[in-house]
Amino acid sequence: MTYLDLLGELLDAARAAGADAADAMMVGGASLSVQRRLGKTEQLERSEGRDLGLRVFVGQRSANVSSSTIDPAGFKRLAEQAVAMARVVPEDPYAGLEQFHQAESADPLDICDPTEPDAELLLARASAAEEAALSVPGITNSEGSEASYSRSEIALATSTGFRGGYARSGHSVSATALAGSGVDMQRDYDYSVGVYLSGLDDPAAVGASAARRALARLNPTRPTTAKLPVIYDPRVSSSLIGSFVGAINGAAIARGTSFLKDKLGQKIFDSSVHIHDDPRRVRGPRSRPFDGEGTPTRAMALAEAGVVATWLLDGRSARQLGLRSLGHASRGTGGPPSPSTTNLWMAAGTLSPAELMADIKLGLYVIELMGGGMNGLTGDYSRGASGFMIRDGQLAEPVNEITIAGQGLDMFASLIPANDLVFRRGTDAPTIRVEGLTMAGA
């Protein structure tokens, strides 16, 4: 029996138990991962599992139940539990299923690698990454390397007639190297992820990159407090997109708890800034043909030429705002949907990273961020950081134990992207320059 057949039986049980509407989701998958450190295998782990989730509606009341036991004989009891729960919770005037489903696009997403690597292949990749890191002069130790593979299957069925499913795979390799010794030791890492094994970087290149990053951080200083321009390395620049996306989340907009709640259709970035979400990117790590409510997905701009183009909506937040969901609902088996992005990215600008920092007399180049973030209600921004000083347009000495702070709208207004965008993760951005942040140091 297929996943969709099982979900159909569960929906029948929900209707028989008294639900006016329902949707059901099944998530199954398997993963294999290995960890190596100093030439020895420290962990070899394989896991498999399936989870089932049911959401029922009784009038404007709803409830969710989930189970890791997939047994049709227990569907009646599961459905009765869900309906009983729904009858005692408060009404939600915006609760409900999405009613209208367009035909799914036939464009192939190619998000599932048919080849599953065995443990020996993963061990070889992890070993190659660590050996490359340890072979770089100046590297004194290793926190290990890891290689992994995963495959997941997702199926969704609703009482409004939607039926759909897809499978997705993922591969990764990473390494963490240490340089120096004692209290002067520094660490850094690198990694590569991809839907297909063939899309990963060479493990040896990953290890060598981790080593170079660790060596560059040796002998850091703590600079004096200053207000200066900050350059965000691509490894951390995506956090700025995350702050923007959090502030246009439909749930926050509907509650009035976002500092961007009045900015739809307004320009808050430079005209060079374009931010997109593309759930239909071929071999994208978060690509999907439909969202968590069965709405077909489509690529769209979240910010265009600096202007806030849309809110990020699921069905509930869309109804609350008098709008329509555009396929941004995400969910697991244990809870209701909520707005979320898929393959999120900021378009590249026209200047190279070197050109972006060429006129900076004194600035900061950030390679790592810690804690904090941008307050979704006020836009206040504060994070721990480490990286390098910029002096006369060039990277200079490494620095750590600093905090950078600013205000969200001011940061967005001054943000300039470089031309070095590379799609590596689910959220990607080029090098980014932001003006006038306060660096708190010694």
Side-chain angles (χ1 to χ4, degrees), residues 3 9 69 88 126 130 137 153 186 202 281 288 317 321 418:
Y3 280 7
E9 289 194 12
T69 302
V88 298
E130 185 179 48
E153 296 178 70
Q186 295 293 322
D202 180 2
R281 184 194 303 162
R288 57 186 184 180
S317 59
L321 293 168

Side-chain angles (χ1 to χ4, degrees), residues 184-231:
D184 296 323
M185 185 174 289
Q186 295 293 322
R187 63 176 290 280
D188 214 320
Y189 67 93
D190 205 354
Y191 68 96
S192 178
V193 297
V195 171
Y196 273 67
L197 182 63
S198 60
L200 290 187
D201 294 339
D202 180 2
V206 171
S209 174
R212 290 192 299 270
R213 288 175 178 272
L215 289 166
R217 299 178 71 160
L218 285 172
N219 305 312
T221 63
R222 191 179 183 197
T224 57
T225 297
K227 191 170 185 178
L228 39 63
V230 174
I231 302 288

Side-chain angles (χ1 to χ4, degrees), residues 109 277-281 286-289 297-299 342-343:
L109 301 181
D277 185 61
D278 186 2
R280 306 204 66 84
R281 184 194 303 162
R286 299 177 187 168
S287 295
R288 57 186 184 180
T297 56
R298 67 178 187 180
T342 56
N343 301 306

Side-chain angles (χ1 to χ4, degrees), residues 420-434:
D420 58 340
L421 174 68
V422 177
F423 292 113
R424 295 191 63 192
R425 312 167 183 88
T427 301
D428 296 288
T431 300
I432 286 175
R433 175 172 172 168
V434 175

